[in-house]
């Protein structure tokens, strides 16, 4: 009998969900939301993601860097949010992820233009990443002139940079032995 | 004199110990000869008051050319009487280690002397091909009956983790062997096969005389996912915790903590105080929602749907609490080596304290109402008795053993970090039946509320995570323990090269409870079978379908899930009456 009294006392305990929204708390960790315009393709999120929900890879003909997110693999840990330098990916309050019939609807994609190495002409990063770096350097007080000199360096791929370094050093050492 | 030395000296009187190795101070590994293994474990178990907490077979051929076995004993006293307990500062873990040469993978079975080892030794064969000589029950345990002979998945050279042996054609599938009593009039009642209300499959065979169960056997592991193999040599520690979490959908957090604690203990890593406190909070939140779930189901199985609904209404508050603390309705996706990913704000703490108030008040209210219902209490009392000696022999854990009057709790026996600063009781009951177990759960709910409150009140400031710069030592190993809602979880981790795990052994609480379940079934009626399984809280409460075979007349009758459930709830109109 006591149980029936309790039912009276507390009344309705259910929501009319989904006809009425379910409010989540402020710090809720929901589906990561991606803002294409902010993404610079640095791949930090892809490296940090423990469940491989995010993959950042060159496409087949190496003309675009493809950022891809699969909500079905996401465990909402928020590591991507933590490492993204531009806030392009942040956890949202969204939790209604179900899709009908086609699992591809769980995926999100962004294609970024790639930058080619000034020396070997191979694609190695995105245009946006280069301009992001230059922009940051400008912000910390580098003047236009020094920056101009550095553009070539920024647009050289790591392999070529390494080779260039080796070349310089060997030259230097050879001079030393003479 | 270090902790545990007294016990070790007693072992030394009878056994030659080759090596003593300490990871953390209270985790001692002693190496003995293969032939001394059963006697050493027996001395520690029965003479010195140990309980078998885990057994880890390990393929160390790459390291030293041998296989190794590690029998982990929790030294805490036999606890058959209240005096029979070790003093707090002498409790420790003693691991008995022995090497098994690669060219002769056998060892003398410990089960003959310590029955609790039976499942572990069956598993050692399935996974590593290590044969326990003299093991009374050498059937397969983990791998399926059609698994290829001679393929031992956890051997390092056995197979790629992606490899799936071809399935055997349905008609060629071997029959699983069940242990069964012989005799006229014995009814064979399979409960199962798959899809039990909650989430896990399992197949039970009940042998009945009329309505009374005289024996039972079961076949589990239908959902073995090969997580240990998946983690080995592949996963880094950022991923490990999240994988461990997925062992269970209810008490996954306790697994994440166990796993990460083991990895941290192996290298002696101290995490920030604030993270320690929050880990305890999350573990207790998990206990809240899990115990409420179980008490609710124990009501529902017996037909008390009204109480079930009320308990679930309260359970919703604990999910909201989890949302405040971790940002998700479950406490998942938070544990990393070195601390926790997410901090809490002051407002969140304040709101949490209010929620706790509600949970406490309403839990008391609903429990009182349930106790008021004589029918309900009668269905729980005297059912599923776990004999004290059986309990001592099989090392069960959690509310299952605390309902038999044993004060066994990982938080109390082996506390660490923030737990040592808290003030809490370990409830025990002496009924040994379903009623005792549910009462223990109810009293633990109130304790959990108090623990969470203390943690919030004493919450230290500072960071919640440090980067474990000290880094991994290959070959170092340790135990990580915690008290999950269902009992003690034990994880054992041996570090490997390149920031990867060499061996991860995860032993969930329920593993230790299954072996004694058989005895708990005996003497009860079919109507109570579902309730008994439910009171262990192994994530099952009902059965989908039951086939009843009358051995005498060879007649069969298939009961649907609804039939059995109805009978279980109402105890009227016996479903087998017309057979
Ligand atoms: S929230 Fe975690 S799992 Fe999901 S995409 Fe981000 S890093 Fe990956
Ligand atoms: S970390 Fe941020 S900027 Fe970098 S690839 Fe990911 S979303 Fe884009």
């Amino acid at each position: 009998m006591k149980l029936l009294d309790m039912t009276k006392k507390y009344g309705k305990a259910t929501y009319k969900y989904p006809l009425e929204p379910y409010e989540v708390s402020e710090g809720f960790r929901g589906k990561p939301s991606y803002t294409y315009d902010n993404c610079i393709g640095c791949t930090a999120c892809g490296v940090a993601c423990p469940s491989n929900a995010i993959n950042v890879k060159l496409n087949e003909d190496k003309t675009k860097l493809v950022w891809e997110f699969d909500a079905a693999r996401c465990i909402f840990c928020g590591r991507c949010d933590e490492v993204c330098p531009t806030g392009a990916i942040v956890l949202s309050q969204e939790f209604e992820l179900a899709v009908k019939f086609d699992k591809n609807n769980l995926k999100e994609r962004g294609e970024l233009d790639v930058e080619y190495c000034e020396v070997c002409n191979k694609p190695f990063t995105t245009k946006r990443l280069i301009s992001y770096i230059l922009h940051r350097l400008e912000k910390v007080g580098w003047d236009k002139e020094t920056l101009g000199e550095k553009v070539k360096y920024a647009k050289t791929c790591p392999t070529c940079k390494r080779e260039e370094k080796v070349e310089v050093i060997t030259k230097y050492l050879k001079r030393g032995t003479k | 004199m270090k902790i545990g030395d007294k016990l070790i000296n007693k072992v030394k009187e009878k056994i030659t110990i080759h090596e003593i190795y300490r990871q953390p101070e209270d985790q001692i590994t002693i190496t003995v000869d293969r032939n001394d293994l059963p006697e050493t474990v027996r001395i520690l178990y029965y003479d010195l008051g140990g309980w078998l907490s885990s057994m880890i077979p390990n393929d160390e051929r790459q390291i030293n050319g041998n296989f190794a076995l590690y029998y982990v004993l929790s030294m805490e006293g036999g606890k058959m009487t209240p005096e029979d307990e070790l003093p707090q500062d002498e409790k420790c873990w003693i691991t008995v280690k022995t090497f098994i040469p690669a060219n002769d993978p056998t060892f003398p079975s410990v089960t003959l002397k310590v029955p609790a080892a039976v499942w572990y030794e069956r598993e050692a064969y399935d996974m590593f091909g290590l044969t326990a000589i003299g093991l009374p029950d050498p059937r397969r345990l983990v791998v399926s009956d059609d698994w290829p002979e001679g393929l031992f998945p956890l051997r390092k050279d056995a197979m790629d983790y992606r490899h799936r042996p071809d399935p055997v054609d349905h008609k060629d599938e071997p029959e699983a062997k069940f242990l069964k009593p012989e005799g006229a009039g014995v009814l064979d009642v399979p409960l199962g096969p798959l899809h039990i209300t909650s989430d896990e499959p399992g197949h039970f065979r009940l042998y009945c005389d009329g309505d009374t169960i005289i024996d039972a056997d079961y076949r589990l592991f239908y959902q073995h996912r090969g997580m240990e193999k998946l983690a080995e040599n592949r996963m880094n520690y950022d991923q490990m915790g999240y994988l461990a979490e997925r062992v269970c959908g209810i008490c996954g957090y306790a697994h994440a903590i166990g796993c990460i604690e083991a990895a941290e203990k192996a290298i002696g890593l101290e995490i920030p105080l604030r993270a320690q406190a929050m880990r305890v909070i999350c573990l207790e939140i998990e206990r809240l929602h899990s115990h409420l779930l179980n008490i609710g189901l124990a009501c529902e199985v017996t037909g008390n749907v009204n109480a079930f609904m009320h308990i679930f209404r309260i359970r919703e508050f604990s999910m909201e609490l989890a949302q405040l603390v971790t940002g998700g309705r479950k406490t998942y996706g938070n544990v990393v080596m070195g601390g926790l990913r997410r901090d809490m704000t002051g407002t969140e703490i304040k709101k949490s304290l209010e929620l706790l108030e509600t949970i406490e008040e309403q839990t008391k209210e609903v429990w009182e109402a349930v106790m008021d219902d004589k029918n309900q209490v009668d269905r729980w009392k005297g059912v599923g008795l776990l004999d004290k000696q059986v309990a001592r022999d099989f090392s069960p854990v959690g509310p299952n053993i605390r309902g038999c009057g044993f004060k066994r709790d990982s938080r109390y026996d082996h506390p660490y970090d923030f737990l040592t600063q808290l003030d809490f009781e370990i409830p025990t009951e002496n009924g040994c039946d379903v009623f005792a177990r549910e009462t223990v759960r109810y009293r633990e709910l109130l304790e959990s509320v108090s623990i969470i409150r203390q943690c919030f009140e004493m919450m230290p400031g500072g960071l919640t995570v440090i980067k474990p710069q000290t880094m991994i030592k290959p070959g170092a190993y340790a135990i990580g323990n915690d008290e999950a809602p269902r009992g003690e979880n034990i994880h054992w981790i041996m570090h490997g090269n390149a920031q990867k795990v060499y061996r991860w052994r995860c032993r969930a609480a329920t593993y230790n409870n299954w072996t004694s379940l058989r005895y708990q079934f005996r003497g009860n009626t079919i109507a109570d079978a579902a309730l008994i399984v439910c009171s262990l809280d192994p994530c099952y409460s009902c059965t989908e379908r039951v086939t009843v075979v009358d051995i005498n007349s060879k007649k069969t009758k298939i009961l649907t899930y609804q039939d059995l459930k109805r009978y279980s709830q109402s105890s009227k109109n016996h479903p087998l009456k017309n057979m």
Side-chain angles (χ1 to χ4, degrees), chain A residues 32 48-51 53-54 69 73-81 91:
Chain A
C49 178
S51 59
I54 300 179
F69 166 70
R73 293 194 68 103
C74 180
I75 61 168
F76 315 103
C77 65
R79 292 206 87 110
C80 48
D81 182 332
L91 294 197

Side-chain angles (χ1 to χ4, degrees), chain A residues 17-141:
Chain A
Y17 184 82
L19 300 176
E20 124 192 8
Y22 175 78
E23 301 279 339
V24 296
S25 63
E26 218 168 86
F28 185 77
R29 293 183 293 162
K31 180 187 171 192
S33 90
Y34 176 61
T35 319
Y36 171 73
D37 290 340
N38 288 350
C39 179
I40 55 173
C42 68
T43 71
C45 52
V47 174
C49 178
S51 59
N52 301 343
I54 300 179
N55 277 298
V56 193
K57 284 203 278 272
L58 281 174
N59 65 357
E60 256 179 31
D61 51 4
K62 305 204 169 160
T63 50
K64 299 270 184 207
L65 186 77
V66 183
W67 182 97
E68 201 171 32
F69 166 70
D70 183 352
R73 293 194 68 103
C74 180
I75 61 168
F76 315 103
C77 65
R79 292 206 87 110
C80 48
D81 182 332
E82 204 169 82
V83 295
C84 180
T86 61
I89 188 156
V90 282
L91 294 197
S92 70
Q93 306 238 312
E94 195 186 326
F95 62 89
E96 288 154 317
L97 306 177
V99 292
K100 255 191 185 170
F101 311 121
D102 189 0
K103 274 197 198 158
N104 282 322
N105 294 340
L106 287 163
K107 290 193 178 144
E108 241 178 277
R109 261 168 92 93
E111 293 188 351
L112 300 159
D113 285 334
V114 292
E115 184 68 84
Y116 296 90
C117 171
E118 296 246 308
V119 182
C120 67
N121 212 21
K122 282 202 189 109
F124 76 102
T125 187
T126 60
K127 289 208 158 47
R128 283 196 197 165
L129 186 69
I130 304 283
S131 52
Y132 176 77
I133 293 171
L134 296 175
H135 180 70
R136 287 291 292 263
L137 291 174
E138 205 174 323
K139 257 201 169 158
V140 296

